Amino acid sequence: MFVSKMSLPRRTFLRGMGTAVALPLLDAMVPSFTLLAKTAANPQKRFGAVYIPHGAIMNLYTPANTGYGFDFTPILKPLEPYKENVVVVSNLDRPGIDDSHATASAAWLSGAIAKKTEGQDFRLGQTVDQVIAKQIGGDTPFPSIEVATENLDGYVGGCSPGYACAYMNTISWTSETSPVPMEINPRVVFERLFGRPGTYEQRVARAKQDASILDSVTEDLGDLERGLGPRDKTRLNEYLENVREIEQRIQRTEERNKQDATLPLDAPIGIPDSYQDHVGLLFDLMAVAYEADLTRVFTFMMAREASMKTYPEVGITEPHHTISHHREKPDVKMAHASLNAYHMSMFAKFVGKLKATPDGDGTLLDHSLVFYGSGMSNANVHGPYPL
């Protein structure tokens, strides 16, 4: 018997002018008659952490019954289609006796007690995402990626009484004294992933051209496709269409922002006005980064502790921080619970995308552990238990 099969290395890129587009896992990356464990199809482990601030209405979050086949609560309901993949972990706590917004986000992935200071002598501890990144991220272009929807890195001093802003600006720390900045601009994240470096002026000029990064890799793509089988061609086309679709959404956002005369001249482009669009773009970029094995670890702050963001799209016009201090008023608690469910619905879309994306002998979701939660439970009293 004669077997002929194109063999590609897992770390294959399409290259163009200033661009390097990583590829998803293809059949051509799995040599014929090779043990799975010795091929690119050997499942890679992945980790993600998604943070929501201000806790939740716990009786509408935590299932009343435990074990297999639990009933999904109103807040968890968006995850019910993926019940085979969901584990609800309850009755957790965090260290320390000082319950504040700063200690909530600081301890969530570190399990450490934040040093009480409003100066630059802050100290916490390495977070679990960075521990994992050192174990599984070494042979990827980005050992970890950190994203958020709000960025207050420019704030110094105390952002919570007695605690430096550094504790609230990120949930990722590489060491006791090294918080990791979180990127909020989808355009910047896209360029990091797909190799479009340059100055601000160069990026604005490229945005005006409305060209796709995929246009610059056409020649390389043609050479690759000629050696692929039908299934790989379909898989590759679907992946590249997804990359192009994300890019086009960013370009449309930039175009709208450029036309807004009320924005400062130095305002960043690429950040959607819509919170749902902003979150969706960042989640889609994380899914593509997983699919192309650009990273195996990410952290995402869907909002920041003490966030004053409002959500008029779901009828919430009071700031998130305000309604989290519900004072046990039923109508305010229901508003907070509906916001909890809204955040969960966006996370569930990301879970669905991972579930629908092939990866080796399974899906991206099969090979990923994504941790979702908050550093508070009852935000009305900044309660840390039960997380």
Side-chain angles (χ1 to χ4, degrees):
M1 179 172 59
F2 177 75
V3 176
S4 176
K5 185 176 183 182
M6 181 181 186
S7 181
L8 294 173
R10 178 65 183 96
R11 188 63 62 214
T12 298
F13 295 86
L14 298 176
R15 300 190 181 277
M17 186 64 70
T19 301
V21 180
L23 297 181
L25 182 62
L26 303 172
D27 288 345
M29 296 171 180
V30 185
S32 299
F33 304 140
T34 304
L35 290 175
L36 181 66
K38 297 182 179 180
T39 72
N42 184 31
Q44 298 294 342
K45 297 177 181 178
R46 301 175 179 87
F47 175 79
V50 180
Y51 187 82
I52 56 166
H54 307 153
I57 304 301
M58 297 304 291
N59 66 310
L60 299 177
Y61 186 100
T62 307
N65 57 321
T66 60
Y68 184 79
F70 61 84
D71 295 326
F72 280 74
T73 57
I75 293 172
L76 294 179
K77 198 72 175 176
L79 287 177
E80 191 167 17
Y82 316 106
K83 58 186 178 182
E84 299 296 329
N85 302 95
V86 175
V87 176
V88 180
V89 183
S90 303
N91 295 323
L92 298 182
D93 203 348
R94 57 176 165 82
I97 59 174
D98 199 349
D99 300 333
S100 73
H101 289 287
T103 56
S105 53
W108 191 60
L109 292 180
S110 70
I113 299 175
K115 176 184 177 180
K116 196 164 188 177
T117 177
E118 294 188 3
Q120 294 301 300
D121 57 334
F122 46 74
R123 182 177 295 273
L124 184 64
Q126 187 180 38
T127 49
V128 68
D129 60 301
Q130 293 303 306
V131 174
I132 294 172
K134 288 184 178 180
Q135 295 295 318
I136 68 173
D139 58 347
T140 60
F142 304 98
S144 66
I145 296 177
E146 296 76 27
V147 295
T149 61
E150 298 176 284
N151 186 344
L152 297 177
D153 281 349
Y155 283 64
V156 295
C159 285
S160 185
Y163 289 94
C165 295
Y167 298 124
M168 296 169 62
N169 289 340
T170 183
I171 53 172
S172 180
W173 292 63
T174 57
S175 72
E176 292 182 345
T177 56
S178 302
V180 181
M182 309 201 87
E183 180 55 59
I184 69 169
N185 192 333
R187 163 63 71 176
V188 175
V189 178
F190 189 91
E191 291 182 351
R192 283 180 63 195
L193 294 176
F194 297 108
R196 295 295 296 271
T199 64
Y200 171 77
E201 290 76 15
Q202 289 170 333
R203 290 189 284 113
V204 170
R206 283 200 296 265
K208 289 179 179 178
Q209 294 171 356
D210 196 30
S212 168
I213 67 161
L214 301 181
D215 294 339
S216 67
V217 297
T218 302
E219 183 177 348
D220 222 9
L221 178 60
D223 291 340
L224 174 67
E225 285 187 322
R226 280 190 285 273
L228 296 179
R231 194 167 93 154
D232 274 351
K233 286 182 179 179
T234 299
R235 176 90 177 87
L236 180 61
N237 287 337
E238 289 175 350
Y239 169 74
L240 294 178
E241 285 173 7
N242 187 32
V243 171
R244 188 184 291 275
E245 192 270 337
I246 293 173
E247 183 182 42
Q248 288 172 341
R249 284 156 60 195
I250 292 172
Q251 289 172 340
R252 287 193 295 269
T253 295
E254 290 174 338
E255 191 59 36
R256 285 196 302 270
N257 288 353
K258 284 185 294 183
Q259 293 171 358
D260 189 345
T262 65
L263 288 176
L265 292 177
D266 59 352
I269 59 177
I271 301 175
D273 294 328
S274 161
Y275 174 78
Q276 186 169 359
D277 290 347
H278 193 182
V279 170
L281 267 176
L282 290 172
F283 268 138
D284 285 353
L285 285 164
M286 296 305 97
V288 167
Y290 268 4
E291 184 178 6
D293 203 31
L294 294 170
T295 193
R296 296 172 193 157
V297 177
F298 80 87
T299 51
F300 184 7
M301 290 180 75
M302 290 185 69
R304 184 179 182 272
E305 284 294 338
S307 172
M308 299 302 286
K309 185 184 290 293
T310 60
Y311 299 84
E313 65 270 29
V314 289
I316 297 175
T317 55
E318 291 291 314
H320 189 181
H321 187 197
T322 301
I323 66 170
S324 73
H325 289 282
H326 47 72
R327 304 178 302 284
E328 298 299 332
K329 293 184 176 181
D331 58 332
V332 183
K333 290 179 73 173
M334 288 307 299
H336 193 193
S338 68
L339 180 52
N340 293 151
Y342 180 52
H343 283 143
M344 187 67 75
S345 69
M346 288 180 276
F347 174 63
K349 289 181 180 178
F350 172 67
V351 173
K353 185 174 285 289
L354 297 185
K355 184 79 170 180
T357 304
D359 183 60
D361 60 350
T363 70
L364 286 179
L365 187 59
D366 294 330
H367 305 147
S368 303
L369 186 153
V370 186
F371 182 47
Y372 179 98
S374 181
M376 287 187 183
S377 56
N378 181 2
N380 186 49
V381 293
H382 292 179
Y385 177 83
L387 295 183

